[in-house]
């Protein structure tokens, strides 16, 4: 829903600035989607006068103009407009201005050898219309040098508001103004409904479809002259993106947007007999105003004469009977169509329109007479002619609803304490009528008893969405401001279960989130696999005697088959990098085992100018994922030992296990065995891993309080050691041995270099370790550092290492 600020102020008397209006609209539930001020993009375009105009020496269709744009230094401009001439006052774009229609930045240039500074502009170039036959011509009195947008009154922001389906009353500018007035931003101007003294009987109209069109009101106006709309109307319609067509058509569009009341105008010369609102008949068609032909049926309401259908009722008129330039006699239709019928018809025909959007929500059924009078008055004033009496066929469902309400219900339901008199002001500003008891104190058996306020509220006919007292509370709270509603937790009712997640479930949540955060996509596979897939990972313990499918026969002993099948499906669909994980159960004779599995296949990194060809995953990538997921699960990662005995599913020389001691296997990882990858149709290097959550030791219970963090008083000390060790010694073993050399002083040790080459004997390698020492209450003395170094060297010697000289 778009409207301009000046348009809003025709209904709302206010001194509020634009920022306040926008803030209030958002606060009362009318979300502002955008604001655009046409004047902002026209700030560099000035009113200018052409002083001289001479033919271009190199082009017959160009002229060389001298243009005065108000600074006392006339500029030379090359122009191709046929109406360019000396004395013309128009709009000039200075050097550096951006032309709105195409984004071109104006700059000094030579056109056919003649220097040109800036540009004289047309309406289309400034996005002010479609006229491109010549440059803009202004009145001679237009002030040269003034910004054109300011002089022309274009400094009028366009506000775009999102209207929710329940707010049919705000599908017109007046409804939005009413809400703002209720919110305290001004006063709602009275709407003036003219009295039409009709000459002669009204038109022959009736309704034969009371379910689809309960009321069909109409007047005729004879002797009209159709033409271009007045400037004020065309300007407002153009500002919100509506293309002015003719006065008769523009009047209906204007009233629809201004008051939320769709109307339609028929050219009486095209009608054969009277008009009737009826159900469509099989085989009937109508050529709509959008140029498309639609087939109607008996579930749709149409407007037809004695020969043909002219209108898809409440959605779109027909092209044949619409008002044209030569129209002299018109019939103005103001009808009420039921929202349900409009919705069904629009969905069947896949046809949308501004009228449908309003009728589908529900227009004011009590505004038929007034809407018809306002439209007739505008037609007579702008197009001339003589109006007839009104014909009123049917009865609109305009019986107002009433709701019982007590002001105390606002606090009870919404938690907002709004005084009764303020609630009354808000509701009456929105059009509700309040009657009833005002409350007080009465005495029962000699004791004072407070009698609550009790109101009977009559709902305005334009508020189809209000049915009961909670809707009344919503209206009050909306206007007061939703930001005033306190955040109050609901009380826990008896019998409502408290959080029941187990420690194991909490671990699984952390692992799942960590895997997703590391870029792995979660897969959910069947717990059953085929016998062939189970055999590829060592076979399963449980086989179903009567499976639903041979492919779902064995309860899985590993998560890898499902993940590898999912990876194959992704690769077959052109996925270049597959990163999948699954958190599920493996099944053995001893029971179920909670497990996390993952598969990495395809490209680790795409080809680039830095690395050349694409990079594949390797065993270290798998190890990194395993360690990260183990840390998320709460495993003591710093104490893990790396062993090389992974299962047969992995490549013997490129895989391993992480353990707490020789027997407690927490995870296995590495490059898959080529035969296993081939069995699942995967090529290239595929890495995977499984973390056995049930093998991770639980945390000891030590109360709810953790020890307070006490940062070291002294700075840590780092020392580097390089050891020559046999090639068979794992770096992990050396690092763990060094860390255990002095557990009190050594807080960390890490490998930072591996070297094999000159200076190192065959069968040996050089491992460089960075050791971090943390002093306690005093700095290390030299003899202490020497003792720690000796302990480190001794730990390396136990593994066959020696300090590198």
């Amino acid at each position: 829903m778009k409207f301009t600020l000046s348009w809003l102020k025709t209904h709302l008397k206010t001194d509020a600035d634009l920022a306040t209006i926008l803030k209030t609209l958002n606060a009362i539930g009318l979300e502002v989607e955008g604001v655009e001020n046409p004047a902002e993009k026209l700030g560099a375009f000035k009113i200018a006068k052409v002083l001289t105009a001479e033919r271009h020496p190199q082009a017959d269709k160009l002229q060389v103009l001298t243009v005065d744009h108000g600074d006392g230094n006339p500029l030379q401009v090359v122009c191709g407009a046929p109406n360019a001439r000396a004395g013309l006052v128009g709009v000039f774009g200075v050097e550096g201005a951006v032309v709105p229609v195409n984004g071109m930045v104006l700059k000094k240039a030579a056109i056919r050898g003649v220097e040109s500074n800036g540009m004289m502009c047309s309406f289309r170039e400034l996005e002010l219309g479609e006229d491109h036959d010549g440059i803009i011509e202004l009145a001679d009195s237009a002030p040269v040098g003034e910004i054109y947008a300011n002089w022309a009154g274009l400094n009028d922001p366009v506000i775009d508001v999102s209207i929710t389906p329940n707010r049919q009353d705000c599908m017109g500018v007046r409804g939005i103004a009413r809400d703002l007035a209720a919110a305290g931003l001004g006063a709602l101007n009275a709407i003036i409904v003219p009295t039409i003294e009709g000459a002669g009987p009204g038109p022959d109209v009736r309704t034969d479809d009371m379910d689809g069109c309960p009321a069909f009101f109409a007047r005729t106006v004879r002797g009209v002259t159709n033409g271009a709309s007045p400037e004020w109307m065309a300007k407002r319609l153009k500002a919100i993106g509506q293309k002015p067509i003719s006065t008769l058509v523009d009047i209906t569009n204007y009233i629809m947007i201004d008051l939320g009341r769709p109307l339609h105008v028929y050219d009486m010369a095209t009608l054969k007999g009277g008009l009737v609102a009826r159900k469509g008949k099989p085989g009937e068609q109508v050529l709509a105003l959008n140029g498309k032909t639609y087939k109607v049926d008996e579930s749709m309401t149409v407007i037809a004469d004695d020969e043909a259908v002219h209108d898809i009722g409440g959605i779109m008129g027909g092209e044949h009977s619409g008002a044209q330039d030569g129209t002299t006699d018109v019939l103005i239709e103001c009808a009420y169509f039921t929202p349900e019928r409009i919705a069904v018809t629009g969905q069947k025909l896949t046809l949308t329109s501004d009228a449908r959007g309003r009728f589908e929500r529900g227009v004011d059924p009590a505004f038929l007479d007034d809407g018809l009078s306002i439209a007739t008055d505008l037609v007579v004033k702008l197009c001339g002619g003589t109006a007839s009496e009104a014909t009123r066929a049917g009865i609109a469902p305009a019986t107002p609803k009433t709701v019982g309400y007590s002001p105390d219900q606002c606090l009870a339901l919404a938690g907002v304490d709004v005084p009764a008199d303020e609630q009354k002001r808000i509701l009456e500003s929105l059009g509700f009528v309040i009657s009833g008891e005002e409350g007080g104190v009465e005495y029962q058996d000699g004791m004072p008893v407070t009698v609550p306020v009790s109101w009977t509220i009559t709902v305005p006919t334009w508020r189809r969405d209000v049915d009961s007292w909670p809707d009344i509370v919503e209206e009050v709270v909306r206007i007061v401001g939703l930001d005033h509603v306190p955040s109050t937790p609901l009380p826990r009712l008896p019998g409502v279960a408290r959080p029941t997640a187990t420690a194991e479930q909490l671990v699984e949540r952390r692992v799942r989130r960590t895997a997703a955060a590391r870029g792995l996509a979660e897969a959910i596979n069947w717990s059953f696999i085929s016998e062939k897939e189970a055999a590829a990972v060592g076979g399963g313990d449980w086989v179903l005697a009567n499976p639903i499918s041979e492919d779902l026969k064995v309860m899985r002993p590993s998560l890898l088959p499902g993940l590898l099948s999912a990876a194959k499906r992704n690769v077959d669909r052109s996925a270049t990098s597959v990163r999948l994980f699954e958190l599920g159960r493996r099944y053995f004779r001893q029971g179920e085992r909670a497990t996390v599995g993952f598969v990495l296949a395809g490209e680790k990194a795409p080809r680039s100018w830095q690395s050349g060809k694409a990079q594949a995953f390797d065993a270290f990538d798998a190890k990194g994922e395993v360690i990260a997921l183990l840390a998320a699960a709460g495993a003591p990662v710093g104490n893990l030992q790396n062993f090389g005995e992974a299962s047969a599913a992995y490549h013997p020389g490129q895989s391993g296990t992480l353990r707490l001691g020789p027997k407690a296997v927490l995870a296995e990882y590495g490059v898959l065995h080529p035969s296993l990858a081939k069995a699942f149709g995967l090529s290239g290097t595929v890495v995977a891993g499984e973390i056995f959550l049930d093998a991770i030791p639980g945390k000891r219970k030590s109360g709810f309080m953790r020890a307070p963090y006490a940062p070291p008083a002294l700075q840590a000390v780092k020392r580097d050691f390089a050891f020559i060790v046999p090639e068979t010694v794992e770096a992990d073993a050396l690092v763990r041995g060094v860390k255990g050399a002095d557990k009190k002083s050594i807080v960390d040790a890490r490998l930072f270099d591996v070297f094999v080459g000159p200076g190192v004997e065959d069968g040996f390698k050089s491992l460089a370790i960075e050791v971090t020492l943390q002093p306690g209450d005093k700095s290390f003395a030299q003899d202490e550092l020497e003792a720690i170094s000796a302990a480190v060297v001794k730990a390396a010697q136990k593994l066959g290492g020696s300090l590198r000289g």
Side-chain angles (χ1 to χ4, degrees):
M1 175 68 190
K2 289 184 177 182
F3 54 92
T4 65
L5 182 60
S6 65
W7 196 340
L8 176 69
K9 289 186 177 181
T10 61
H11 292 280
L12 181 68
K13 185 178 181 181
T14 180
D15 295 327
D17 58 14
L18 177 63
T20 303
I21 290 173
L22 298 178
K23 181 179 179 181
T24 306
L25 285 170
N26 283 319
I28 62 178
L30 300 176
E31 183 182 357
V32 178
E33 291 195 329
V35 180
E36 182 179 352
N37 191 347
E40 292 179 354
K41 57 186 178 183
L42 299 179
F45 294 87
K46 299 180 177 181
I47 298 175
K49 184 174 183 179
V50 179
L51 301 179
T52 64
E54 299 179 356
R55 188 177 68 84
H56 192 292
Q58 303 296 330
D60 293 338
K61 294 184 178 181
L62 298 179
Q63 295 188 73
V64 181
L65 312 180
T66 304
V67 176
D68 176 15
H69 62 100
D71 68 348
N73 296 309
L75 295 175
Q76 179 174 282
V77 178
V78 176
C79 181
N83 63 331
R85 63 187 182 276
L88 179 145
V89 178
V91 180
F92 174 68
V94 300
E95 185 178 350
V98 179
V99 181
V101 73
N102 55 20
M104 180 179 68
V105 179
L106 298 179
K107 54 186 177 181
K108 185 183 297 184
I111 301 178
R112 294 287 186 92
V114 176
E115 183 181 278
S116 181
N117 303 271
M119 181 175 74
M120 296 296 292
C121 304
S122 68
F123 281 107
R124 184 192 294 178
E125 287 162 339
L126 299 185
E127 292 186 334
L128 299 176
E130 295 301 319
D131 186 5
H132 194 56
D133 293 335
I135 58 179
I136 298 172
E137 293 191 41
L138 304 178
D140 293 341
S141 59
V144 174
E146 186 171 337
I147 301 298
Y148 170 69
N150 296 338
W151 176 82
L154 298 176
N155 191 11
D156 192 8
V158 178
I159 304 169
D160 187 3
V161 177
S162 175
I163 307 297
T164 53
N166 65 312
R167 294 305 308 278
Q168 68 280 348
D169 58 307
C170 287
M171 291 300 288
V173 179
R174 183 166 184 82
I176 295 173
R178 183 189 296 114
D179 267 18
L180 289 172
L185 238 60
L188 186 67
N189 294 330
I191 186 171
I192 299 174
V193 179
T195 301
I196 306 296
E197 298 293 339
D204 178 14
V205 299
R206 71 180 193 275
T207 176
D208 292 346
D209 182 11
M210 296 299 293
D211 292 333
C213 180
F216 187 176
F217 292 10
R219 285 183 190 269
T220 61
V221 181
R222 299 182 182 274
V224 302
T225 302
N226 197 15
S229 300
E231 184 180 354
W232 64 270
M233 181 181 289
K235 181 179 175 182
R236 287 181 180 173
L237 291 175
K238 285 191 290 187
I240 63 171
Q242 291 274 351
K243 181 181 178 181
I245 298 172
S246 67
T247 305
L248 290 172
V249 176
D250 293 347
I251 286 173
T252 61
N253 288 334
Y254 183 82
I255 293 176
M256 176 178 65
I257 296 165
D258 188 52
L259 302 174
R261 158 41 69 180
L263 303 132
H264 190 61
V265 174
Y266 296 90
D267 185 343
M268 293 186 65
T270 65
L271 304 179
K272 308 298 181 185
L275 284 180
V276 57
R278 60 169 173 80
K279 292 183 178 180
K281 300 175 182 178
E284 287 186 320
Q285 296 182 341
V286 57
L287 177 62
L289 287 170
N290 62 2
K292 297 181 180 180
T293 299
Y294 295 92
K295 294 181 179 180
V296 299
D297 59 36
E298 60 274 8
S299 68
M300 305 174 186
T301 301
V302 300
I303 308 296
D305 62 10
D306 295 343
E307 293 187 357
V309 174
H310 291 285
D311 190 346
I312 303 170
I315 298 180
M316 189 170 289
E319 188 174 278
H320 173 67
S321 59
Q324 308 295 326
D325 289 342
T327 298
T328 58
D329 301 327
V330 297
L331 182 149
I332 306 172
E333 166 219 308
C334 185
Y336 179 82
F337 298 93
T338 55
E340 296 78 11
R341 181 67 59 81
I342 292 294
V344 170
T345 301
Q347 290 168 4
K348 275 190 173 183
L349 299 178
T350 62
L351 177 60
T352 59
S353 68
D354 289 333
R356 174 191 169 183
R358 287 162 173 81
F359 279 121
E360 199 170 40
R361 285 172 164 88
V363 301
D364 184 3
F367 198 68
L368 289 168
D369 258 328
D370 291 349
L372 183 59
S373 296
I374 292 171
T376 304
D377 182 63
L378 278 174
V379 169
V380 172
K381 286 181 177 178
L382 301 180
C383 301
T386 302
S388 71
E389 294 289 344
T391 299
R392 300 174 180 87
I395 300 175
T399 303
K401 294 179 288 187
T402 57
V403 176
Y405 179 71
S406 171
D408 295 341
Q409 291 173 309
C410 182
L411 177 61
L413 181 63
V416 182
D417 190 6
V418 183
D421 56 347
E422 175 63 10
Q423 293 191 47
K424 186 175 183 180
R425 183 200 69 79
I426 290 173
L427 293 171
E428 288 179 340
S429 298
L430 292 172
F432 295 85
V433 178
I434 298 176
S435 60
E437 301 294 332
E438 292 300 325
V441 178
E442 66 178 29
Y443 288 85
Q444 296 180 4
D445 298 330
M447 296 294 292
V449 177
T450 301
V451 178
V453 178
S454 179
W455 291 342
T456 298
I457 298 179
T458 302
V459 180
T461 53
W462 58 79
R463 291 306 301 272
R464 179 171 173 261
D465 58 308
V466 177
D467 291 314
S468 57
W469 69 265
D471 298 324
I472 301 296
V473 172
E474 181 182 354
E475 290 302 296
V476 172
V477 174
R478 179 176 64 85
I479 297 301
V480 169
L482 296 176
D483 54 335
H484 290 87
V485 178
S487 298
T488 305
L490 294 175
R492 184 180 296 277
L493 299 177
V496 177
R498 294 186 176 275
T500 57
T502 64
E504 292 77 11
Q505 290 171 328
L506 294 175
V507 167
E508 291 180 5
R509 290 179 189 176
R510 291 197 299 271
V511 171
R512 181 176 281 111
R513 291 172 181 169
T514 300
R518 292 180 63 82
L520 276 68
E522 184 172 12
I524 300 176
N525 296 304
W526 295 107
S527 296
F528 302 96
I529 59 178
S530 68
E531 287 185 302
K532 182 179 179 181
E533 290 174 335
V537 290
D541 291 343
W542 296 98
V543 180
L544 301 185
N546 187 25
I548 60 175
S549 167
E550 285 299 314
D551 291 334
L552 301 173
K553 190 173 184 178
V554 181
M555 299 191 75
R556 63 187 180 188
S558 170
L559 301 186
L560 292 182
L563 287 169
L564 293 173
S565 297
K568 178 63 165 58
R569 288 192 295 272
N570 281 269
V571 171
D572 288 345
R573 288 158 180 79
S574 301
T576 57
S577 181
V578 178
R579 303 165 185 255
L580 299 177
F581 84 94
E582 182 177 10
L583 198 157
R585 299 291 187 271
R586 298 177 300 136
Y587 301 92
F588 303 96
R589 294 196 179 278
Q590 298 82 5
E592 301 178 11
R593 301 295 173 87
T595 307
V596 181
F598 64 87
V599 167
L600 308 176
E603 299 177 356
K604 174 184 176 182
R607 61 182 181 177
S608 71
W609 62 270
Q610 292 175 308
S611 60
K613 63 181 181 179
Q615 299 178 29
F617 293 101
D618 58 29
F620 293 104
D621 296 313
K623 185 178 181 181
E625 298 297 338
V626 165
I627 291 176
L629 298 180
L630 282 171
V637 175
N639 299 329
L640 294 178
Q641 301 175 24
N642 191 68
F643 286 77
E645 295 86 0
S647 68
Y650 295 91
H651 195 296
Q654 302 179 40
S655 60
T657 59
L658 291 175
R659 310 187 184 195
L660 283 173
K663 295 183 179 181
V665 181
L666 271 58
E668 61 180 10
Y669 66 90
V671 177
L672 281 186
H673 197 287
S675 62
L676 180 61
K678 184 178 179 180
F680 284 89
L682 294 170
S683 60
T685 302
V686 180
V687 305
E690 285 186 295
I691 297 96
F692 312 126
L693 297 179
D694 60 300
I696 300 175
K699 291 184 177 181
R700 296 178 182 177
K701 295 183 179 180
S702 57
F704 293 101
M705 298 296 291
R706 67 172 63 179
Y709 173 68
L714 299 175
Q715 188 172 354
V717 179
K718 293 185 179 181
R719 290 288 185 269
D720 294 343
F721 297 85
F723 297 103
I724 301 295
V725 297
E727 281 187 341
T728 56
V729 174
E730 294 182 353
D732 179 68
L734 179 62
V735 170
R736 284 189 286 108
V738 167
K739 287 181 67 174
D742 189 334
K743 295 182 179 179
K744 180 180 178 181
S745 301
I746 299 176
V747 295
D748 191 22
R750 69 180 185 89
L751 178 73
F752 70 88
D753 185 54
V754 178
F755 177 73
V756 176
V760 178
E761 296 181 20
D762 292 340
F764 290 84
K765 59 185 176 182
S766 171
L767 300 180
I769 309 293
E770 179 188 78
V771 180
T772 303
L773 311 175
Q774 179 60 58
D777 54 356
K778 63 177 182 177
S779 299
F780 289 116
Q782 183 61 34
D783 57 340
E784 291 176 319
L785 290 174
E786 291 177 356
I788 295 172
S789 297
V792 169
V793 173
K794 185 176 181 181
Q797 290 173 345
K798 290 180 180 180
L799 296 173
S802 60
L803 192 64
R804 184 177 176 184

